[in-house]
Amino acid sequence: MTKWPALNMRYVEDDVFNKKHLEEMGLLPDEPDFGVPLELLEELVEAVADKLDNELNTRNARNDPASVLPGELMDRIREARHRRPAGEKADGRERELPSDNSEPPSQSHGGLGRDDALRPDTSGTLPHTDASARRRRGRTRQVKPASIPVFGNPSGLRLQTGDVNNMYRTLEELWNMYARGGMRNAAAFVPIFRMGLRLLIDTAAMERCGGLDRYVGEYAGEAKKRLRQAANSADLVTFMRNQAVSPENLLRLLQNGAHAYTSTGNKEQALAMSILIGEMLSISHGRP
């Protein structure tokens, strides 16, 4: 089972990841690495997966998937592709063609075949065009959850005095107690923590813009951008990506946390959500 199982659907290969649309997204389908760094390729796959439940589930959007993907991501892909010297891979090594013993890509739909489609493999990393390329590049590095502080800041968030700060402090203390093994019924904690994150965001939204969806739309994208630009946050961004937490799906994850108690026990994903939420709170409620 892949990290994004929705990408296994046939129409995704035929309608979304065909050669024409890959080129419109800024990729080079004939290149073994699609002409861009692996990190950008992973962001693109994550963005497509997040859109499959809504925009890309309609016939019109399937015919123009690039139009519903983040414009900022499309710009970075094209910029990275254009910067790459001819004949050289995005990581600086000489480009290599697939080996002779690898299976050739399927030509039945003019795009990516089912075995080499642009979708994650079972390890949660992005698959590549052939087995030899996968061995050359290696897999996305692991970031240990034990090294990641709750809400993403080892020294704590600096928030304005009020209900949001009080709730944040309580959730932080409870998580740290849980991490130290100080809870008798630890198995029940993570779903409760997810519910607490939803209540925390609801409270912050009421104080700033009145609605959860509006608050997420206004602050989540900027929060991810700030995390990506911070000099010491590479592990945080990698960890969030590995747990499929993004501005595009945060609202859904929060709603699941409020209504799906039995299916929201993923500790790592809850921690990743807290990182993005912590940066959002720092923007909306941070002290000067």
Side-chain angles (χ1 to χ4, degrees):
M1 183 176 183
T2 67
K3 184 177 179 181
W4 296 289
L7 296 180
N8 292 327
M9 291 185 289
R10 181 76 184 198
Y11 87 85
V12 176
E13 176 190 342
D14 294 346
D15 295 349
V16 179
F17 285 141
N18 58 47
K19 184 173 182 178
K20 174 178 178 289
H21 292 158
L22 290 174
E23 291 174 343
E24 291 172 350
M25 294 174 194
L27 302 178
L28 300 175
D30 295 328
E31 297 281 338
D33 59 356
F34 298 98
V36 297
L38 177 59
E39 180 177 318
L40 285 179
L41 205 55
E42 287 183 326
E43 284 192 52
L44 177 63
V45 171
E46 180 181 332
V48 169
D50 288 339
K51 298 291 186 180
L52 286 179
D53 290 336
N54 37 69
E55 290 97 330
L56 288 179
N57 201 27
T58 63
R59 176 59 59 182
N60 289 338
R62 290 188 201 177
N63 293 330
D64 188 16
S67 66
V68 300
L69 296 174
E72 178 264 345
L73 175 57
M74 300 292 97
D75 291 342
R76 284 191 290 120
I77 288 175
R78 293 186 178 94
E79 182 181 0
R81 181 194 67 186
H82 292 155
R83 279 203 306 264
R84 186 170 60 85
E88 183 177 299
K89 287 175 66 69
D91 60 6
R93 292 176 295 179
E94 189 69 22
R95 182 170 65 84
E96 298 178 52
L97 295 175
S99 61
D100 293 336
N101 59 359
S102 61
E103 294 184 4
S106 169
Q107 302 298 323
S108 58
H109 303 287
L112 296 173
R114 180 150 309 274
D115 291 336
D116 56 359
L118 185 64
R119 61 172 184 256
D121 64 14
T122 54
S123 69
T125 61
L126 197 69
H128 312 295
T129 54
D130 57 68
S132 62
R134 184 159 53 246
R135 288 192 296 271
R136 288 195 300 271
R137 293 188 191 92
R139 298 184 177 185
T140 302
R141 67 187 181 88
Q142 294 284 334
V143 179
K144 294 182 179 180
S147 66
I148 303 293
V150 69
F151 292 101
N153 194 322
S155 58
L157 305 180
R158 291 172 51 84
L159 304 181
Q160 300 167 11
T161 302
D163 291 340
V164 170
N165 181 63
N166 293 340
M167 293 176 63
Y168 150 69
R169 291 293 181 188
T170 299
L171 288 173
E172 181 185 48
E173 290 175 7
L174 288 172
W175 181 275
N176 290 335
M177 184 186 302
Y178 162 74
R180 292 192 300 266
M183 290 189 173
R184 295 178 60 185
N185 190 10
F189 173 73
V190 174
I192 297 298
F193 181 80
R194 288 273 296 260
M195 292 179 184
L197 290 177
R198 167 63 187 266
L199 183 59
L200 174 61
I201 286 291
D202 276 334
T203 304
M206 285 192 300
E207 293 185 0
R208 288 296 179 265
C209 53
L212 176 64
D213 54 348
R214 185 175 174 184
Y215 180 82
V216 171
E218 184 170 343
Y219 292 103
E222 179 63 21
K224 183 176 180 180
K225 181 178 178 181
R226 284 183 26 160
L227 284 169
R228 188 184 294 118
Q229 292 175 345
N232 60 345
S233 64
D235 282 353
L236 300 184
V237 174
T238 300
F239 183 68
M240 284 171 49
R241 184 170 62 246
N242 289 346
Q243 299 306 317
V245 172
S246 68
E248 291 76 20
N249 68 1
L250 180 61
L251 183 62
R252 174 172 57 82
L253 292 173
L254 288 167
Q255 291 168 340
N256 288 346
H259 304 294
Y261 174 84
T262 59
S263 62
T264 55
N266 185 323
K267 171 185 174 181
E268 286 76 18
Q269 189 175 70
L271 181 58
M273 290 172 63
S274 80
I275 294 169
L276 184 56
I277 289 171
E279 193 63 30
M280 291 166 64
L281 294 176
S282 295
I283 298 172
S284 65
H285 287 74
R287 282 190 285 172

mmCIF file of all heavy atoms in Angstrom, residues 105-141:
data_model
loop_
_atom_site.group_PDB
_atom_site.id
_atom_site.type_symbol
_atom_site.label_atom_id
_atom_site.label_comp_id
_atom_site.label_asym_id
_atom_site.label_seq_id
_atom_site.Cartn_x
_atom_site.Cartn_y
_atom_site.Cartn_z
ATOM 1 N N PRO A 105 9.427 2.031 -20.124
ATOM 2 C CA PRO A 105 8.164 2.639 -19.758
ATOM 3 C C PRO A 105 7.069 2.241 -20.739
ATOM 4 O O PRO A 105 7.307 2.067 -21.924
ATOM 5 C CB PRO A 105 8.451 4.141 -19.834
ATOM 6 C CG PRO A 105 9.891 4.313 -20.151
ATOM 7 C CD PRO A 105 10.451 3.000 -20.511
ATOM 8 N N SER A 106 5.849 2.174 -20.199
ATOM 9 C CA SER A 106 4.710 1.845 -21.043
ATOM 10 C C SER A 106 4.401 3.006 -21.971
ATOM 11 O O SER A 106 4.434 4.148 -21.580
ATOM 12 C CB SER A 106 3.489 1.547 -20.154
ATOM 13 O OG SER A 106 2.328 1.485 -20.931
ATOM 14 N N GLN A 107 4.061 2.718 -23.209
ATOM 15 C CA GLN A 107 3.725 3.744 -24.182
ATOM 16 C C GLN A 107 2.233 3.739 -24.490
ATOM 17 O O GLN A 107 1.789 4.422 -25.393
ATOM 18 C CB GLN A 107 4.520 3.512 -25.483
ATOM 19 C CG GLN A 107 6.024 3.501 -25.285
ATOM 20 C CD GLN A 107 6.548 4.824 -24.772
ATOM 21 O OE1 GLN A 107 6.053 5.875 -25.156
ATOM 22 N NE2 GLN A 107 7.527 4.793 -23.890
ATOM 23 N N SER A 108 1.470 2.965 -23.742
ATOM 24 C CA SER A 108 0.075 2.781 -24.113
ATOM 25 C C SER A 108 -0.738 4.048 -23.979
ATOM 26 O O SER A 108 -1.737 4.223 -24.649
ATOM 27 C CB SER A 108 -0.557 1.680 -23.247
ATOM 28 O OG SER A 108 -0.450 2.011 -21.878
ATOM 29 N N HIS A 109 -0.321 4.973 -23.098
ATOM 30 C CA HIS A 109 -1.102 6.178 -22.898
ATOM 31 C C HIS A 109 -0.301 7.427 -23.158
ATOM 32 O O HIS A 109 -0.726 8.521 -22.824
ATOM 33 C CB HIS A 109 -1.656 6.214 -21.461
ATOM 34 C CG HIS A 109 -2.481 5.019 -21.129
ATOM 35 N ND1 HIS A 109 -3.746 4.821 -21.627
ATOM 36 C CD2 HIS A 109 -2.203 3.929 -20.368
ATOM 37 C CE1 HIS A 109 -4.235 3.674 -21.174
ATOM 38 N NE2 HIS A 109 -3.326 3.116 -20.411
ATOM 39 N N GLY A 110 0.908 7.308 -23.684
ATOM 40 C CA GLY A 110 1.710 8.479 -24.000
ATOM 41 C C GLY A 110 2.321 9.116 -22.780
ATOM 42 O O GLY A 110 2.828 10.213 -22.843
ATOM 43 N N GLY A 111 2.254 8.472 -21.637
ATOM 44 C CA GLY A 111 2.785 9.070 -20.421
ATOM 45 C C GLY A 111 3.544 8.055 -19.622
ATOM 46 O O GLY A 111 4.353 7.304 -20.152
ATOM 47 N N LEU A 112 3.235 7.942 -18.332
ATOM 48 C CA LEU A 112 3.947 7.034 -17.454
ATOM 49 C C LEU A 112 3.206 5.712 -17.369
ATOM 50 O O LEU A 112 1.988 5.682 -17.244
ATOM 51 C CB LEU A 112 4.048 7.647 -16.055
ATOM 52 C CG LEU A 112 4.850 8.933 -15.967
ATOM 53 C CD1 LEU A 112 4.730 9.516 -14.575
ATOM 54 C CD2 LEU A 112 6.295 8.687 -16.314
ATOM 55 N N GLY A 113 3.965 4.602 -17.396
ATOM 56 C CA GLY A 113 3.351 3.299 -17.254
ATOM 57 C C GLY A 113 2.947 3.034 -15.820
ATOM 58 O O GLY A 113 3.350 3.733 -14.904
ATOM 59 N N ARG A 114 2.154 1.981 -15.603
ATOM 60 C CA ARG A 114 1.673 1.714 -14.255
ATOM 61 C C ARG A 114 2.803 1.340 -13.317
ATOM 62 O O ARG A 114 2.771 1.673 -12.146
ATOM 63 C CB ARG A 114 0.640 0.580 -14.301
ATOM 64 C CG ARG A 114 0.081 0.243 -12.937
ATOM 65 C CD ARG A 114 -1.320 -0.261 -13.018
ATOM 66 N NE ARG A 114 -2.180 0.597 -13.793
ATOM 67 C CZ ARG A 114 -2.804 1.631 -13.269
ATOM 68 N NH1 ARG A 114 -2.637 1.965 -12.024
ATOM 69 N NH2 ARG A 114 -3.604 2.366 -14.011
ATOM 70 N N ASP A 115 3.848 0.652 -13.804
ATOM 71 C CA ASP A 115 4.934 0.251 -12.920
ATOM 72 C C ASP A 115 5.882 1.383 -12.616
ATOM 73 O O ASP A 115 6.589 1.349 -11.625
ATOM 74 C CB ASP A 115 5.721 -0.913 -13.535
ATOM 75 C CG ASP A 115 4.887 -2.177 -13.560
ATOM 76 O OD1 ASP A 115 3.958 -2.274 -12.739
ATOM 77 O OD2 ASP A 115 5.163 -3.048 -14.405
ATOM 78 N N ASP A 116 5.949 2.388 -13.504
ATOM 79 C CA ASP A 116 6.880 3.480 -13.256
ATOM 80 C C ASP A 116 6.145 4.799 -13.160
ATOM 81 O O ASP A 116 6.678 5.847 -13.477
ATOM 82 C CB ASP A 116 7.960 3.543 -14.354
ATOM 83 C CG ASP A 116 7.357 3.665 -15.745
ATOM 84 O OD1 ASP A 116 6.119 3.683 -15.848
ATOM 85 O OD2 ASP A 116 8.130 3.747 -16.701
ATOM 86 N N ALA A 117 4.878 4.747 -12.757
ATOM 87 C CA ALA A 117 4.090 5.970 -12.656
ATOM 88 C C ALA A 117 4.633 6.880 -11.575
ATOM 89 O O ALA A 117 5.310 6.442 -10.656
ATOM 90 C CB ALA A 117 2.626 5.620 -12.335
ATOM 91 N N LEU A 118 4.283 8.150 -11.696
ATOM 92 C CA LEU A 118 4.754 9.145 -10.735
ATOM 93 C C LEU A 118 3.932 9.021 -9.470
ATOM 94 O O LEU A 118 2.961 9.716 -9.259
ATOM 95 C CB LEU A 118 4.595 10.541 -11.332
ATOM 96 C CG LEU A 118 5.135 11.716 -10.542
ATOM 97 C CD1 LEU A 118 6.640 11.596 -10.410
ATOM 98 C CD2 LEU A 118 4.760 13.019 -11.224
ATOM 99 N N ARG A 119 4.308 8.077 -8.629
ATOM 100 C CA ARG A 119 3.593 7.887 -7.371
ATOM 101 C C ARG A 119 4.549 7.277 -6.370
ATOM 102 O O ARG A 119 5.539 6.650 -6.735
ATOM 103 C CB ARG A 119 2.362 6.989 -7.552
ATOM 104 C CG ARG A 119 2.675 5.573 -8.050
ATOM 105 C CD ARG A 119 1.397 4.731 -7.991
ATOM 106 N NE ARG A 119 1.671 3.371 -8.362
ATOM 107 C CZ ARG A 119 1.351 2.839 -9.522
ATOM 108 N NH1 ARG A 119 0.752 3.557 -10.429
ATOM 109 N NH2 ARG A 119 1.635 1.566 -9.772
ATOM 110 N N PRO A 120 4.247 7.443 -5.047
ATOM 111 C CA PRO A 120 5.165 6.943 -4.026
ATOM 112 C C PRO A 120 5.188 5.429 -3.967
ATOM 113 O O PRO A 120 4.228 4.763 -4.325
ATOM 114 C CB PRO A 120 4.590 7.525 -2.725
ATOM 115 C CG PRO A 120 3.632 8.576 -3.154
ATOM 116 C CD PRO A 120 3.141 8.186 -4.513
ATOM 117 N N ASP A 121 6.326 4.876 -3.493
ATOM 118 C CA ASP A 121 6.400 3.437 -3.300
ATOM 119 C C ASP A 121 6.024 3.113 -1.865
ATOM 120 O O ASP A 121 5.598 3.948 -1.109
ATOM 121 C CB ASP A 121 7.792 2.908 -3.666
ATOM 122 C CG ASP A 121 8.885 3.466 -2.764
ATOM 123 O OD1 ASP A 121 8.536 4.039 -1.720
ATOM 124 O OD2 ASP A 121 10.059 3.324 -3.104
ATOM 125 N N THR A 122 6.157 1.838 -1.471
ATOM 126 C CA THR A 122 5.693 1.412 -0.157
ATOM 127 C C THR A 122 6.487 2.001 0.974
ATOM 128 O O THR A 122 6.053 1.959 2.120
ATOM 129 C CB THR A 122 5.741 -0.125 -0.057
ATOM 130 O OG1 THR A 122 7.066 -0.557 -0.394
ATOM 131 C CG2 THR A 122 4.758 -0.756 -1.020
ATOM 132 N N SER A 123 7.648 2.566 0.729
ATOM 133 C CA SER A 123 8.437 3.161 1.797
ATOM 134 C C SER A 123 8.035 4.591 2.061
ATOM 135 O O SER A 123 8.532 5.217 2.986
ATOM 136 C CB SER A 123 9.923 3.131 1.415
ATOM 137 O OG SER A 123 10.161 4.018 0.338
ATOM 138 N N GLY A 124 7.116 5.135 1.278
ATOM 139 C CA GLY A 124 6.709 6.508 1.448
ATOM 140 C C GLY A 124 7.579 7.482 0.696
ATOM 141 O O GLY A 124 7.394 8.683 0.781
ATOM 142 N N THR A 125 8.568 7.004 -0.082
ATOM 143 C CA THR A 125 9.389 7.885 -0.887
ATOM 144 C C THR A 125 8.905 7.843 -2.315
ATOM 145 O O THR A 125 8.133 6.969 -2.700
ATOM 146 C CB THR A 125 10.865 7.463 -0.839
ATOM 147 O OG1 THR A 125 10.976 6.145 -1.376
ATOM 148 C CG2 THR A 125 11.385 7.473 0.578
ATOM 149 N N LEU A 126 9.355 8.789 -3.119
ATOM 150 C CA LEU A 126 8.894 8.870 -4.492
ATOM 151 C C LEU A 126 9.534 7.780 -5.335
ATOM 152 O O LEU A 126 10.727 7.572 -5.278
ATOM 153 C CB LEU A 126 9.277 10.241 -5.053
ATOM 154 C CG LEU A 126 8.539 10.660 -6.315
ATOM 155 C CD1 LEU A 126 7.088 10.927 -5.999
ATOM 156 C CD2 LEU A 126 9.185 11.898 -6.883
ATOM 157 N N PRO A 127 8.755 7.054 -6.153
ATOM 158 C CA PRO A 127 9.345 6.062 -7.030
ATOM 159 C C PRO A 127 10.017 6.752 -8.193
ATOM 160 O O PRO A 127 9.756 7.893 -8.478
ATOM 161 C CB PRO A 127 8.151 5.252 -7.520
ATOM 162 C CG PRO A 127 7.055 6.234 -7.531
ATOM 163 C CD PRO A 127 7.332 7.166 -6.382
ATOM 164 N N HIS A 128 10.841 6.027 -8.895
ATOM 165 C CA HIS A 128 11.578 6.619 -9.988
ATOM 166 C C HIS A 128 11.285 5.842 -11.262
ATOM 167 O O HIS A 128 10.517 4.892 -11.262
ATOM 168 C CB HIS A 128 13.070 6.641 -9.659
ATOM 169 C CG HIS A 128 13.304 7.185 -8.287
ATOM 170 N ND1 HIS A 128 13.012 8.486 -7.950
ATOM 171 C CD2 HIS A 128 13.739 6.592 -7.143
ATOM 172 C CE1 HIS A 128 13.304 8.686 -6.674
ATOM 173 N NE2 HIS A 128 13.725 7.556 -6.175
ATOM 174 N N THR A 129 11.919 6.236 -12.346
ATOM 175 C CA THR A 129 11.558 5.668 -13.627
ATOM 176 C C THR A 129 12.034 4.246 -13.802
ATOM 177 O O THR A 129 11.556 3.552 -14.675
ATOM 178 C CB THR A 129 12.120 6.534 -14.759
ATOM 179 O OG1 THR A 129 13.529 6.696 -14.538
ATOM 180 C CG2 THR A 129 11.475 7.898 -14.756
ATOM 181 N N ASP A 130 13.007 3.786 -13.033
ATOM 182 C CA ASP A 130 13.452 2.408 -13.140
ATOM 183 C C ASP A 130 14.199 2.019 -11.875
ATOM 184 O O ASP A 130 14.526 2.845 -11.047
ATOM 185 C CB ASP A 130 14.334 2.195 -14.368
ATOM 186 C CG ASP A 130 15.545 3.108 -14.356
ATOM 187 O OD1 ASP A 130 16.408 2.906 -13.487
ATOM 188 O OD2 ASP A 130 15.614 4.019 -15.196
ATOM 189 N N ALA A 131 14.457 0.710 -11.737
ATOM 190 C CA ALA A 131 15.072 0.212 -10.508
ATOM 191 C C ALA A 131 16.475 0.753 -10.320
ATOM 192 O O ALA A 131 16.892 1.060 -9.201
ATOM 193 C CB ALA A 131 15.095 -1.320 -10.523
ATOM 194 N N SER A 132 17.239 0.897 -11.408
ATOM 195 C CA SER A 132 18.613 1.372 -11.263
ATOM 196 C C SER A 132 18.648 2.817 -10.801
ATOM 197 O O SER A 132 19.490 3.202 -9.997
ATOM 198 C CB SER A 132 19.355 1.231 -12.597
ATOM 199 O OG SER A 132 18.751 2.015 -13.608
ATOM 200 N N ALA A 133 17.715 3.629 -11.309
ATOM 201 C CA ALA A 133 17.662 5.026 -10.852
ATOM 202 C C ALA A 133 17.299 5.089 -9.382
ATOM 203 O O ALA A 133 17.795 5.931 -8.646
ATOM 204 C CB ALA A 133 16.637 5.802 -11.679
ATOM 205 N N ARG A 134 16.400 4.194 -8.943
ATOM 206 C CA ARG A 134 16.013 4.175 -7.537
ATOM 207 C C ARG A 134 17.210 3.855 -6.649
ATOM 208 O O ARG A 134 17.403 4.441 -5.601
ATOM 209 C CB ARG A 134 14.898 3.143 -7.344
ATOM 210 C CG ARG A 134 14.346 3.093 -5.931
ATOM 211 C CD ARG A 134 12.955 2.475 -5.916
ATOM 212 N NE ARG A 134 12.908 1.178 -6.570
ATOM 213 C CZ ARG A 134 12.236 0.925 -7.689
ATOM 214 N NH1 ARG A 134 11.591 1.875 -8.319
ATOM 215 N NH2 ARG A 134 12.243 -0.284 -8.206
ATOM 216 N N ARG A 135 18.064 2.902 -7.104
ATOM 217 C CA ARG A 135 19.252 2.570 -6.315
ATOM 218 C C ARG A 135 20.245 3.718 -6.310
ATOM 219 O O ARG A 135 20.921 3.970 -5.322
ATOM 220 C CB ARG A 135 19.895 1.302 -6.879
ATOM 221 C CG ARG A 135 19.112 0.029 -6.610
ATOM 222 C CD ARG A 135 19.961 -1.177 -6.949
ATOM 223 N NE ARG A 135 20.282 -1.246 -8.355
ATOM 224 C CZ ARG A 135 19.526 -1.860 -9.252
ATOM 225 N NH1 ARG A 135 18.400 -2.431 -8.885
ATOM 226 N NH2 ARG A 135 19.898 -1.898 -10.527
ATOM 227 N N ARG A 136 20.371 4.442 -7.452
ATOM 228 C CA ARG A 136 21.329 5.537 -7.524
ATOM 229 C C ARG A 136 20.958 6.667 -6.580
ATOM 230 O O ARG A 136 21.789 7.245 -5.912
ATOM 231 C CB ARG A 136 21.412 6.077 -8.969
ATOM 232 C CG ARG A 136 22.106 5.154 -9.946
ATOM 233 C CD ARG A 136 22.446 5.929 -11.203
ATOM 234 N NE ARG A 136 21.284 6.479 -11.854
ATOM 235 C CZ ARG A 136 20.559 5.850 -12.774
ATOM 236 N NH1 ARG A 136 20.873 4.608 -13.095
ATOM 237 N NH2 ARG A 136 19.539 6.433 -13.353
ATOM 238 N N ARG A 137 19.679 7.009 -6.557
ATOM 239 C CA ARG A 137 19.289 8.164 -5.761
ATOM 240 C C ARG A 137 19.179 7.860 -4.271
ATOM 241 O O ARG A 137 19.384 8.716 -3.442
ATOM 242 C CB ARG A 137 17.932 8.696 -6.246
ATOM 243 C CG ARG A 137 17.982 9.274 -7.644
ATOM 244 C CD ARG A 137 16.652 9.942 -7.939
ATOM 245 N NE ARG A 137 16.553 10.291 -9.328
ATOM 246 C CZ ARG A 137 16.024 9.520 -10.266
ATOM 247 N NH1 ARG A 137 15.550 8.345 -9.921
ATOM 248 N NH2 ARG A 137 15.967 9.901 -11.520
ATOM 249 N N GLY A 138 18.779 6.634 -3.933
ATOM 250 C CA GLY A 138 18.545 6.317 -2.534
ATOM 251 C C GLY A 138 17.161 6.794 -2.121
ATOM 252 O O GLY A 138 16.393 7.317 -2.929
ATOM 253 N N ARG A 139 16.837 6.631 -0.872
ATOM 254 C CA ARG A 139 15.503 6.969 -0.375
ATOM 255 C C ARG A 139 15.547 8.224 0.469
ATOM 256 O O ARG A 139 16.578 8.629 0.980
ATOM 257 C CB ARG A 139 14.933 5.812 0.448
ATOM 258 C CG ARG A 139 14.768 4.549 -0.372
ATOM 259 C CD ARG A 139 14.120 3.469 0.446
ATOM 260 N NE ARG A 139 13.899 2.283 -0.345
ATOM 261 C CZ ARG A 139 13.248 1.212 0.108
ATOM 262 N NH1 ARG A 139 12.789 1.198 1.330
ATOM 263 N NH2 ARG A 139 13.078 0.171 -0.667
ATOM 264 N N THR A 140 14.367 8.835 0.635
ATOM 265 C CA THR A 140 14.270 10.013 1.490
ATOM 266 C C THR A 140 14.717 9.641 2.896
ATOM 267 O O THR A 140 14.279 8.652 3.465
ATOM 268 C CB THR A 140 12.817 10.511 1.541
ATOM 269 O OG1 THR A 140 12.405 10.803 0.208
ATOM 270 C CG2 THR A 140 12.712 11.752 2.405
ATOM 271 N N ARG A 141 15.591 10.460 3.464
ATOM 272 C CA ARG A 141 16.147 10.116 4.772
ATOM 273 C C ARG A 141 15.074 10.137 5.853
ATOM 274 O O ARG A 141 14.103 10.876 5.788
ATOM 275 C CB ARG A 141 17.264 11.104 5.136
ATOM 276 C CG ARG A 141 16.803 12.524 5.374
ATOM 277 C CD ARG A 141 17.997 13.434 5.555
ATOM 278 N NE ARG A 141 17.592 14.788 5.811
ATOM 279 C CZ ARG A 141 17.339 15.272 7.025
ATOM 280 N NH1 ARG A 141 17.453 14.477 8.067
ATOM 281 N NH2 ARG A 141 16.964 16.519 7.201
#
